Amino acid sequence: MNHAELVKNAGVVGAGGAGFPTHAKIGARVDVVLANGAECEPLLHSDQFVMLDRAEQILDGLRTVMETTGAKRGVVCIKEKNTRGAKELEKHLTKNVSILALGDFYPAGDEHILTFEATGKITPEGGLPIDVGVLVQNVTTLANVARALKGEAVTSKVVTVGGEVAKPGVHVIPVGTPLSDVIAACGGPIRDDGVALLNGPMMGRLVEPSKEVVTKTTGGLFLLPRDNPLAQRLSRPLSADIRLSRGACEQCRYCTDFCPRYLQGHSLKPHMIMRVMNEQREPEVETVTDSFLCCECGVCDLFACPLSLSPRRFYREFKASLSARKIWLRKRNKKCEADLYREHRRVPKGKLTRRIGVSGYDLAPEFHGKEWDVDAVEIPLSMHIGVAAEPVVRIGDKVGRGTVVGKIASGKLGADVHASIAGVVTKINGRIRIERRGA
Ligand code: SF4
Ligand code: SF4
């Protein structure tokens, strides 16, 4: 079996983003592979833990992907402030692999931004770093690639738990563990009026913990008071965002001037989408299709706009509406040039954390390396890009940790899913419930 097949069988997906199936990415031909350890989202410390605990696996995974892609060079991209992680990684470097120290700015870990920082190359509009010979893989994904080569499936995730929770920390949690159980195991909420934020303040979303579970892409879970400014922003209905923007947007352009994708030379101009919303006129086609250039980093609304308006939200709505009509942005061959002021308009992470009202939760959390023992999990059949896996077990089946419980149909893009604990299958309904009893 070749490397890509082993990675596919282990159900490895991009751990730091939307969960693109890794086996489908590592067949590309590129010049350089970037291990993304930037972890730029405020409050998250999960990848930092992985770099301390699994440095050798990360480097093994990186060399494996360099081999499958034909890349001559590998670069581990890590924040310069993460000196402990760098020390661990340095122990396992080889001559074709180096470390790039990044400044503490947001969004250093965006794959376009990382590509530019590491190679000086600009990803084309509507394209991917692969188009300029670069493959970006999150450090946790690379550690999972190394484990896959030894036959180990992805069954757990390193998650930062913080905010208004009694015992904040970084934990190794079986995939499928309900978020409400995660909060309870971390001592429960400190206050009753909290809301739960999944995956981080900039790109995360508010969730109902009793309805969601840890997946292969979960990075963090935070409780915020309901009156926290960020919690209020994220709870604002679309109608309120539209009303506010019509009354308040002064077309100052700060949202555009700080947009990281605009600054790397893409034609995205968030103040223009605000003009469309505010003037309620027929927009130029390009202003709307440019929505696909937005990576939803949140710099425009949570950092740049003096009036807390949200071009990101409108881009997201336009993207959803165009995608529903099967309209996508095709790669453009336009020559892009980085903005002269790009270097000076990077968003310092400390300032960002203060501005969004979460600096009080920015603690150095305790790392807990031992994987949790949980009594029951509900493993989603879809926690990746592509089609959902099809169940290959029945109610009453006994499974071991790592048993395949859902498989992707042949020829389809997706990822297999595996039992994260040993036990008995008790329910199949979009998720596979496994209970430890009788195992
Ligand atoms: S959305 Fe905010 S930053 Fe952008 S142009 Fe309007 S007021 Fe200025
Ligand atoms: S969310 Fe805003 S700042 Fe970020 S890429 Fe989109 S438009 Fe630019």
Side-chain angles (χ1 to χ4, degrees):
M1 216 179 282
N2 66 31
H3 290 344
E5 283 165 342
L6 288 166
V7 169
K8 181 171 186 274
N9 286 351
V12 183
V13 302
F20 193 88
T22 303
H23 68 271
K25 243 181 160 182
I26 62 175
R29 304 305 288 172
V30 296
D31 307 318
V32 54
V33 179
L34 304 181
N36 187 354
E39 195 162 54
C40 59
E41 179 76 43
L43 309 187
L44 289 193
H45 295 269
S46 307
D47 285 344
Q48 284 176 47
F49 167 81
V50 173
M51 286 185 277
L52 285 176
D53 194 55
R54 304 176 190 170
E56 188 171 8
Q57 289 177 3
I58 293 169
L59 270 301
D60 285 348
L62 176 58
R63 282 184 282 266
T64 299
V65 175
M66 286 166 64
E67 199 183 316
T68 62
T69 56
K72 297 277 177 296
R73 201 157 66 89
V75 183
V76 187
C77 306
I78 176 171
K79 291 277 178 73
E80 63 190 355
K81 67 176 185 180
N82 189 359
T83 48
R84 281 176 68 208
K87 245 185 218 159
E88 282 305 312
L89 292 159
E90 273 164 10
K91 291 180 193 164
H92 307 283
L93 293 181
T94 40
K95 67 172 174 17
N96 49 355
V97 178
S98 58
I99 291 184
L100 174 71
L102 299 160
D104 198 13
F105 66 91
Y106 180 85
D110 172 85
E111 64 175 8
H112 287 212
I113 306 303
L114 201 66
T115 296
F116 188 81
E117 294 290 329
T119 68
K121 293 179 177 171
I122 299 177
T123 304
E125 291 185 351
L128 295 167
I130 286 172
D131 297 317
V132 289
V134 179
L135 180 67
V136 182
Q137 292 281 275
N138 168 273
V139 285
T140 300
T141 312
L142 290 171
N144 287 339
V145 165
R147 290 171 163 214
L149 262 47
K150 294 185 174 148
E152 222 183 294
V154 181
T155 56
S156 64
K157 187 70 176 57
V158 175
V159 182
T160 308
V161 186
E164 299 281 340
V165 71
K167 288 187 269 174
V170 179
H171 299 273
V172 186
I173 308 178
V175 167
T177 305
L179 298 185
S180 45
D181 289 0
V182 173
I183 294 167
C186 290
I190 294 173
R191 46 198 286 175
D192 295 332
D193 66 338
V195 293
L197 171 71
L198 186 68
N199 282 342
M202 294 303 287
M203 297 187 72
R205 61 188 168 91
L206 298 183
V207 292
E208 177 55 63
S210 60
K211 294 191 177 142
E212 306 217 17
V213 299
V214 170
T215 69
K216 294 176 185 178
T217 59
T218 303
L221 177 64
F222 305 92
L223 295 185
L224 299 177
R226 200 166 289 277
D227 60 359
N228 172 278
L230 179 70
Q232 291 191 332
R233 283 290 302 279
L234 296 178
S235 324
R236 205 154 74 190
L238 178 63
S239 55
D241 267 334
I242 294 174
R243 199 175 57 246
L244 279 170
S245 105
R246 284 189 180 150
C249 178
E250 55 198 22
Q251 286 292 290
C252 65
R253 248 193 84 115
Y254 282 148
C255 49
T256 295
D257 289 340
F258 280 91
C259 170
R261 294 289 177 99
Y262 167 78
L263 289 169
Q264 73 153 10
H266 284 188
S267 45
L268 186 68
K269 294 191 183 77
H271 74 283
M272 293 300 287
I273 203 74
M274 298 304 279
R275 201 179 282 181
V276 168
M277 297 305 293
N278 300 349
E279 295 174 3
Q280 300 171 56
R281 63 184 164 87
E282 277 298 308
E284 299 83 15
V285 171
E286 200 164 85
T287 303
V288 174
T289 50
D290 277 354
S291 305
F292 288 107
L293 303 178
C294 170
C295 64
E296 301 189 22
C297 69
V299 165
C300 54
D301 56 353
L302 295 176
F303 182 81
C305 179
L307 302 167
S308 301
L309 307 178
S310 185
R312 164 171 68 164
R313 184 141 195 202
F314 300 139
Y315 278 139
R316 187 186 291 149
E317 294 296 325
F318 275 112
K319 261 193 280 189
S321 145
L322 293 172
S323 305
R325 283 180 270 165
K326 305 213 181 309
I327 300 170
W328 313 100
L329 179 67
R330 261 182 294 181
K331 192 164 62 185
R332 295 174 180 157
N333 288 322
K334 183 192 132 193
K335 186 168 168 14
C336 300
E337 222 169 281
D339 191 275
L340 196 61
Y341 296 104
R342 180 181 175 275
E343 298 259 325
H344 310 289
R345 296 216 176 114
R346 286 181 175 146
V347 176
K349 194 157 144 189
K351 194 170 181 183
L352 175 68
T353 308
R354 285 194 297 281
R355 189 165 293 183
I356 58 179
V358 297
S359 55
Y361 307 120
D362 196 15
L363 315 165
E366 206 177 319
F367 293 136
H368 303 268
K370 187 175 177 303
E371 185 172 335
W372 285 11
D373 247 347
V374 298
D375 291 332
V377 290
E378 294 207 358
I379 302 165
L381 287 161
S382 178
M383 43 185 156
H384 47 258
I385 285 178
V387 299
E390 289 166 11
V392 292
V393 286
R394 292 186 186 163
I395 291 173
D397 282 358
K398 281 190 176 182
V399 292
R401 182 170 167 274
T403 304
V404 183
V405 293
K407 270 199 100 49
I408 287 299
S410 161
K412 298 280 186 195
L413 180 70
D416 292 351
V417 294
H418 303 75
S420 56
I421 61 171
V424 177
V425 176
T426 58
K427 196 159 80 178
I428 301 175
N429 180 15
R431 292 180 186 171
I432 296 192
R433 182 174 173 82
I434 300 167
E435 296 180 18
R436 207 176 272 285
R437 67 178 160 86

